[in-house]
Amino acid sequence: MSNNFFKGRKLLIATKHKKERVIAPILEKELGVNCFVTDIDTDKFGTFTGEIERKEDAISTARNKCLLAMELENCDLVLASEGSFGAHPSLFFANADEEILLFIDKKKDIEIIVRELTFETNFNGSEIKTIKELEEFVKNSKFPTHGIILRKAKNDSTLIEKGITNLDQLYKTFKYLISMYGSAFIETDMRAMYNPTRMKVIENATYKLAKKINSLCPKCSIPGFGIIDSKSGLPCDLCNFPTQSTLSHIYSCQKCNYIKEVFFPNGRKKEDPMYCDICNP
């Protein structure tokens, strides 16, 4: 349910890749805002295909998108997202998608950020030379519901075809590149409107954002009272020794700096001995 803090206000979603399709319905329902988009070139802050390098980290990039949108539309309530793809930070053998959503209320001087990290991504790329390699790649890339990019070579954007979603275009582009250069580089199109898997992650992040926005500080009632840290140490059910499992979450208010520690956030006061370094070394 909405906390009425933002009810009736216009929320600008800074995107050119149709992310409003999943973001707007959730925030309009949960916050009572009226979402709209504008013609903003968010690619100027970086592209997945490398024509324009992203010069700043994901949060700064999302913030820059918000500030540009605010300036263009003279709007004081803005949201932007930024995705990053590559090796998972702890499981390096697996690809991951990290989506950041940043919500800025200039009128109330509030900035709320959420992250969603998942293995649910088709992110991939490979140099190919044969039809068999082409067909094997697209088979594992959820084509044609997910777009494909073909280019002359990795990190070379002088000849690139994006948003390929049909077989005729796929084969035609591939054959041309092979005839000209002997090989091609194929990759998944990670732009949201060509990647339903990524769009689902953005949707999940939006639910998380709505929940955080509707979490009010117990002291000053400002939205965005959220987790900033966690503590391990949930005791083992057998030996009572502290385990690596989560004992508590630390919540903080960005406005008044009120801190609250919530114990046993996962609903367990003891951990299974199989996760204990003493009982199961």
Side-chain angles (χ1 to χ4, degrees):
M1 294 294 292
S2 170
N3 56 41
N4 294 321
F5 203 89
F6 303 103
K7 188 174 182 179
R9 292 178 62 186
K10 294 177 67 177
L11 171 63
L12 173 57
I13 302 174
T15 180
K16 66 177 291 184
H17 296 151
K18 310 299 183 185
K19 299 173 188 174
E20 74 276 4
R21 292 175 181 173
V22 294
I23 294 174
I26 297 169
L27 297 187
E28 288 182 345
K29 178 182 178 181
E30 298 296 328
L31 305 183
V33 294
N34 299 311
C35 294
F36 71 106
V37 294
T38 188
D39 185 14
I40 175 174
D41 184 14
T42 53
D43 281 350
K44 68 185 293 181
F45 300 111
T47 59
F48 293 124
T49 43
E51 299 98 326
I52 301 173
E53 180 184 358
R54 191 175 77 184
K55 293 183 169 64
E56 300 190 63
D57 61 73
I59 291 178
S60 297
T61 301
R63 186 178 293 114
N64 289 336
K65 291 179 182 179
C66 286
L67 295 177
L68 176 62
M70 282 181 173
E71 181 180 350
L72 291 175
E73 289 291 329
N74 192 28
C75 182
D76 56 21
L77 195 63
V78 184
L79 178 146
S81 80
E82 184 68 10
S84 300
F85 303 90
H88 190 277
S90 57
L91 298 174
F92 305 116
F93 59 86
N95 285 329
D97 172 11
E98 182 179 47
E99 298 292 339
I100 289 175
L101 265 62
L102 189 146
F103 177 94
I104 295 180
D105 182 353
K106 188 177 181 181
K107 182 178 179 181
K108 300 292 185 180
D109 191 27
I110 298 172
E111 181 179 285
I112 300 172
I113 301 170
V114 296
R115 300 172 184 264
E116 181 76 2
L117 179 65
T118 178
F119 292 112
E120 295 298 319
T121 178
N122 70 330
F123 175 69
N124 200 7
S126 178
E127 181 183 23
I128 57 173
K129 296 182 179 180
T130 67
I131 289 289
K132 182 179 179 180
E133 290 174 329
L134 172 73
E135 292 175 344
E136 186 66 26
F137 186 93
V138 298
K139 178 182 177 182
N140 297 320
S141 300
K142 303 183 179 180
F143 179 85
T145 58
H146 293 59
I148 290 292
I149 295 172
L150 279 166
R151 63 167 89 197
K152 173 182 173 181
K154 186 178 182 180
N155 302 322
D156 187 333
S157 299
T158 57
L159 203 164
I160 183 170
E161 187 78 15
K162 301 181 183 181
I164 300 172
T165 56
N166 68 75
L167 282 173
D168 288 342
Q169 184 185 10
L170 179 73
Y171 285 124
K172 182 179 178 180
T173 305
F174 172 73
K175 289 175 181 177
Y176 176 77
L177 290 170
I178 292 298
S179 68
M180 292 292 292
Y181 308 107
S183 67
F185 191 82
I186 188 170
E187 59 194 289
T188 47
D189 196 330
M190 302 314 298
R191 293 174 298 169
M193 71 280 208
Y194 287 106
N195 201 298
T197 297
R198 183 184 176 210
M199 198 72 91
K200 182 63 179 178
V201 180
I202 294 171
E203 181 181 30
N204 293 340
T206 306
Y207 279 115
K208 183 181 290 187
L209 177 68
K211 182 178 180 180
K212 187 172 182 179
I213 291 172
N214 279 325
S215 177
L216 307 183
C217 173
K219 186 175 181 181
C220 70
S221 299
I222 291 294
F225 189 66
I227 300 169
I228 59 166
D229 200 4
S230 62
K231 291 183 179 179
S232 61
L234 191 67
C236 172
D237 194 32
L238 185 61
C239 71
N240 214 42
F241 188 83
T243 68
Q244 296 299 315
S245 299
T246 301
L247 174 66
S248 65
H249 283 161
I250 310 299
Y251 288 76
S252 175
C253 174
Q254 62 171 321
K255 294 295 287 185
C256 71
N257 297 317
Y258 173 73
I259 300 290
K260 180 180 180 181
E261 185 172 12
V262 177
F263 288 89
F264 316 118
N266 297 319
R268 303 191 311 274
K269 294 187 177 181
K270 296 285 186 176
E271 185 55 285
D272 191 305
M274 71 178 292
Y275 299 110
C276 176
D277 292 338
I278 301 298
C279 299
N280 189 25

